[in-house]
Amino acid sequence: MTDDKKLLQELLEKHNNGDLKPKERYEIPPQGMPAQDATERRDNIDEVATGYTETQARLEALRCLQCKNAPCVAGCPVKIKIKDFVSAIADGQYQQALEIIKENSLLPSVCGRVCPQEVQCQEKCTVAKRFKDVDKAVAIGRLERFVADWGEENDSTPKIAPPTGKKVAVIGSGPGGVVVATDCRRAGHDVTVFEAFHKPGGVLVYGIPEFRLPKAIVEREIKGLEKMGVKFECNFIVGRTRTVKQLLEEDGFDAAYIGVGAGLPRFMNIEGEQLVGVYSANEYLTRANLMKAYQFGEGADTPIAVSKKVAVLGGGNVAMDAARTAVRLGAEEVYLIYRRSEAEMPARVEEVHHAKEEGIIFKTLQNPKRILGDGDGYVKSLECLKYELGEPDDSGRRRPVPIEGSEFEIDVDTVIVAIGNGANPLIGQTTPGLEMNKWGNIVVDEDCKTSLDGVYAGGDIVLGAATVILAMGQGRIAAAAMNDYLKD
Ligand SMILES: Cc1cc2nc3c(=O)[nH]c(=O)nc-3n(C[C@H](O)[C@H](O)[C@H](O)COP(=O)(O)OP(=O)(O)OC[C@H]3O[C@@H](n4cnc5c(N)ncnc54)[C@H](O)[C@@H]3O)c2cc1C
Ligand code: SF4
């Protein structure tokens, strides 16, 4: 028997007798996430984190103190009963654990992988507070993933209420749309999801790379919806193929949910951004993920730059995904250029850690001034400026201030701009009476209802570029309100 298994057996004996003291729980070593070797994974697109074993999951679950007030729950946007599902894992009751999670979250295998737990539930965990180190919190996300993966084979199709005769249109098939489709279908409505791309899943499919979120997981969720009777109309752009008004007034839909996300890339607006070799991160990732450009010539129709030296501009999750994708597509050197310091980077700590392990060169407190061409219209280099940090700005982060005269040049053949995304404007432009704010986001009330009757919205098109769990949370609220509205 391995040392880990022996330790687990000893701890379980005490735990089952009610004798495992908080002090002993603190002494259980935090279970690291097994991962593919950093050198090997540079050459493949397989998932980096390989998931807990059963022994690791139960050891990690035993670290939970079962706090009376469970402060972790306050950090969870959808209020999962964390201590209950963690306790069920410690007891080896995985089905029960999964059912507890699914009361509040419909996509645990996705959230367990991509939620920023370190700034949500885990940040509030008593164990993290005790060690003054969020890395030592109970690994709630990893446990969620463990139990969701365990349940993969055992998931049953949810019960569906008798047909109501009402039709629901879900516009956009991201995580918010998936949740609305599930909850409205459960209530017995006839649900159709309209998706602009040829494949459903939203950012989970076109943005977040395979090595962080295997596409088979998203496909399984979509298949589950199809089994429930949800219809998918892909290659269907609402606002072009049909408008929201036409769906409601001519096509017989009784209610609609708009979950079209924030897919409009922002650019730097600097000289040289029109050169060949400059991509938005959205385009780069869509080519790589959705269109499988890494298989170009071997079954995929979409090409992508064959790059040697790549500069990625930005410091968020999207920038990390783009940089790590460039490495896997064969780039020899990938620079991540960010105008603040690493402490201000919005990307998840785990992504930063993995990116560094994979050899991405972080160039912080630097920012491009212009992109230089080779005379034939192709990117040749980047001219950058050095920065220092000034006073905090509106976001609370210290403002980056350029250092005059600090220009320098980096040779690159590809530039990927990953400085954020704005709201997709099409629906707003083609739906009269739909109230939008000055950033182009749809305005909703606390039920996610828009200014139009029967029309609801949520996720990034309402919140601005946010997170999967927040989109799912709004989907839940909107679906409950839609089901209520459709009762009348
Ligand atoms: C590269 C990348 C990495 C990310 N990493 C993380 C992460 O690690 N953790 C995390 O929590 N969040 C992450 N996010 C953010 C997260 O993915 C989003 O907040 C979330 O997906 C938003 O969900 P949504 O339901 O609003 O729809 P989206 O996922 O944005 O999907 C919207 C869908 O609507 C479709 N659509 C758009 N316009 C139309 C139209 N007119 N008609 C029909 N369909 C339309 C789009 O094609 C798309 O499929 C990441 C985002 C990106 C881009
Ligand atoms: S705060 Fe941490 S230790 Fe306490 S119940 Fe939640 S996960 Fe367990």
Side-chain angles (χ1 to χ4, degrees):
M1 193 187 283
T2 61
D3 289 351
D4 276 2
K5 283 197 172 144
K6 243 202 300 232
L7 175 64
L8 178 62
Q9 210 171 48
E10 285 164 19
L11 291 167
L12 281 177
E13 258 170 48
K14 286 193 166 180
H15 171 75
N16 293 338
N17 296 333
D19 290 339
L20 193 62
K21 304 270 176 316
K23 185 174 170 295
E24 292 165 292
R25 291 183 191 267
Y26 284 133
E27 282 166 7
I28 304 171
Q31 301 296 298
M33 175 58 106
Q36 264 200 78
D37 174 77
T39 319
E40 267 172 37
R41 68 181 192 242
R42 279 178 64 103
D43 295 326
N44 69 54
I45 56 147
D46 300 341
E47 192 170 16
V48 168
T50 51
Y52 274 166
T53 62
E54 205 174 332
T55 307
Q56 282 182 302
R58 292 188 77 180
L59 279 172
E60 186 64 29
L62 286 169
R63 296 182 63 234
C64 172
L65 305 168
Q66 294 291 302
C67 316
K68 251 198 199 121
N69 56 348
C72 48
V73 178
C76 172
V78 295
K79 305 284 173 269
I80 293 175
K81 291 176 192 141
I82 293 170
K83 75 172 183 181
D84 296 348
F85 98 75
V86 173
S87 161
I89 294 178
D91 293 338
Q93 300 297 324
Y94 307 135
Q95 183 60 37
Q96 191 193 344
L98 189 57
E99 279 163 20
I100 295 169
I101 297 173
K102 286 210 161 181
E103 281 173 30
N104 298 61
S105 169
L106 279 181
L107 303 172
S109 45
V110 173
C111 294
R113 285 172 166 83
V114 304
C115 268
Q117 292 98 3
E118 67 279 4
V119 292
Q120 297 181 346
C121 50
Q122 289 176 197
E123 189 184 41
K124 304 252 184 291
C125 173
T126 312
V127 181
K129 296 257 153 63
R130 156 78 163 67
F131 287 108
K132 296 192 176 58
D133 181 356
V134 74
D135 287 347
K136 297 219 167 91
V138 174
I140 300 163
R142 292 172 184 172
L143 291 172
E144 181 182 18
R145 169 186 165 161
F146 166 79
V147 85
D149 288 356
W150 174 90
E152 194 179 320
E153 303 300 326
N154 311 324
D155 247 3
S156 53
T157 308
K159 277 208 187 88
I160 294 163
T164 59
K166 298 278 166 72
K167 280 174 69 176
V168 170
V170 174
I171 305 165
S173 62
V178 164
V179 167
V180 174
T182 311
D183 284 355
C184 287
R185 182 67 195 125
R186 275 179 178 169
H189 306 310
D190 180 349
V191 178
T192 306
V193 180
F194 297 99
E195 168 54 49
F197 276 134
H198 64 281
K199 250 191 192 175
V203 172
L204 307 182
V205 168
Y206 81 75
I208 303 180
E210 175 80 17
F211 56 81
R212 273 209 303 131
L213 178 62
K215 300 307 150 223
I217 292 174
V218 187
E219 276 160 24
R220 198 179 71 225
E221 299 297 343
I222 301 292
K223 283 226 168 72
L225 277 180
E226 283 172 342
K227 265 208 277 181
M228 288 169 68
V230 171
K231 288 168 250 171
F232 284 88
E233 291 268 0
C234 290
N235 300 310
F236 192 113
I237 305 176
V238 176
R240 286 279 179 275
T241 321
R242 301 292 281 162
T243 62
V244 174
K245 201 165 169 239
Q246 285 171 324
L247 290 175
L248 292 169
E249 292 179 6
E250 297 172 24
D251 301 344
F253 287 93
D254 301 287
Y257 171 82
I258 305 172
V260 292
L264 185 73
R266 294 206 180 96
F267 282 91
M268 304 276 298
N269 296 323
I270 54 173
E271 184 187 323
E273 259 180 330
Q274 80 293 349
L275 288 165
V276 180
V278 180
Y279 290 84
S280 70
N282 258 24
E283 180 188 343
Y284 191 80
L285 289 169
T286 303
R287 280 174 186 262
N289 289 323
L290 188 69
M291 317 303 282
K292 307 267 179 269
Y294 53 87
Q295 293 169 346
F296 182 59
E298 297 161 24
D301 298 332
T302 301
I304 198 163
V306 180
S307 318
K308 282 205 162 62
K309 292 189 173 190
V310 179
V312 178
L313 316 182
N317 283 324
V318 181
M320 296 302 149
D321 284 344
R324 298 176 68 200
T325 298
V327 162
R328 284 160 175 80
L329 290 177
E332 288 162 11
E333 276 174 33
V334 179
Y335 306 107
L336 193 117
I337 301 179
Y338 180 57
R339 62 194 181 137
R340 291 181 157 101
S341 77
E342 196 175 318
E344 286 84 26
M345 268 188 184
R348 294 191 61 197
V349 177
E350 189 175 286
E351 304 316 324
V352 171
H353 172 70
H354 281 150
K356 283 186 174 169
E357 276 187 345
E358 288 163 14
I360 286 150
I361 302 156
F362 279 51
K363 288 182 160 285
T364 51
L365 291 168
Q366 300 177 13
N367 209 30
K369 191 173 163 192
R370 56 186 179 137
I371 306 169
L372 302 168
D374 64 357
D376 288 325
Y378 288 84
V379 171
K380 178 179 87 59
S381 63
L382 259 187
E383 187 180 271
C384 294
L385 271 173
K386 293 193 175 150
Y387 276 61
E388 59 193 356
L389 292 179
E391 293 302 308
D393 62 14
D394 294 345
S395 72
R397 295 178 302 170
R398 290 179 65 192
R399 189 188 301 274
V401 183
I403 303 173
E404 250 180 70
S406 64
E407 285 87 348
F408 66 100
E409 220 174 298
I410 314 175
D411 286 343
V412 289
D413 51 41
T414 305
V415 176
I416 304 172
V417 186
I419 56 165
N421 285 316
N424 287 334
L426 186 58
I427 300 265
Q429 288 162 357
T430 56
T431 314
L434 186 66
E435 192 186 341
M436 323 282 288
N437 67 17
K438 63 177 178 182
W439 297 284
N441 299 114
I442 298 175
V443 176
V444 296
D445 66 13
E446 66 280 10
D447 288 331
C448 289
K449 184 186 170 300
T450 69
S451 52
L452 296 175
D453 274 351
V455 181
Y456 297 76
D460 283 4
I461 189 64
V462 166
L463 301 166
T467 60
V468 170
I469 193 77
L470 288 174
M472 285 176 50
Q474 284 208 315
R476 261 271 141 99
I477 295 169
M482 289 165 82
N483 289 339
D484 250 12
Y485 169 79
L486 292 172
K487 270 187 202 146
D488 300 338

